[in-house]
Amino acid sequence: MRTLTIRSLFALAAVAIASLALVQFASARASRSGAAAATTIQVKGGEFFFRLSTKSISRPGKVTFVFKNIGHVQHDFKINGKKTPLISPGQTARLVITFKKKAKYPYLCTVFGHAAAGMKGVFTVR
Ligand SMILES: [Cu+2]
């Protein structure tokens, strides 16, 4: 009887430790994604330039680029293999990118000739 009780106490303790570890893991995940969700970068584009409110972030994570076309012809914004739709002057498009590693990520407008004319740059994840 005594052995059984001690054994079940151990079992209880193990469950308690395991669930504590789970809670810690979950909250670590939550705070990380919460911090990442806060990164919004304003991108303004026109003939023939991009202006980013920030050209780098301090760690890998999720970034929402809010691209506004402040030019006079259609443009888009492409980075890390994803791009916004082609948008008209005055319009805004969002692009959510999860940067998984530290690197330099080139960005550009994919309309023919625009990148060559200056609609390009490099975004850095430090
Ligand atoms: Cu363009």
Side-chain angles (χ1 to χ4, degrees):
M1 185 62 185
R2 188 157 182 256
T3 336
L4 247 182
T5 312
I6 288 168
R7 211 177 278 166
S8 51
L9 270 177
F10 268 114
L12 265 175
V15 168
I17 288 164
S19 51
L20 267 177
L22 266 178
V23 166
Q24 269 186 346
F25 178 69
S27 62
R29 276 177 64 101
S31 64
R32 212 180 305 140
S33 64
T39 308
T40 298
I41 295 174
Q42 310 295 327
V43 180
K44 292 193 166 107
E47 300 79 44
F48 288 99
F49 63 89
F50 279 119
R51 269 202 306 269
L52 276 63
S53 57
T54 309
K55 287 188 76 176
S56 68
I57 51 173
S58 56
R59 64 181 66 83
K62 193 194 272 186
V63 174
T64 301
F65 292 97
V66 181
F67 167 51
K68 180 167 191 189
N69 182 351
I70 60 168
H72 302 281
V73 300
Q74 291 189 315
H75 297 292
D76 63 14
F77 178 74
K78 180 178 183 183
I79 187 166
N80 198 30
K82 284 177 85 177
K83 64 178 180 178
T84 66
L86 202 57
I87 59 170
S88 295
Q91 288 189 318
T92 297
R94 279 165 191 274
L95 192 64
V96 180
I97 305 283
T98 300
F99 294 105
K100 293 191 173 145
K101 57 181 186 182
K102 300 176 181 193
K104 291 186 180 298
Y105 296 87
Y107 57 83
L108 60 99
C109 173
T110 68
V111 177
F112 182 77
H114 287 197
M119 293 191 78
K120 63 181 172 153
V122 176
F123 183 75
T124 304
V125 178
R126 285 181 268 120

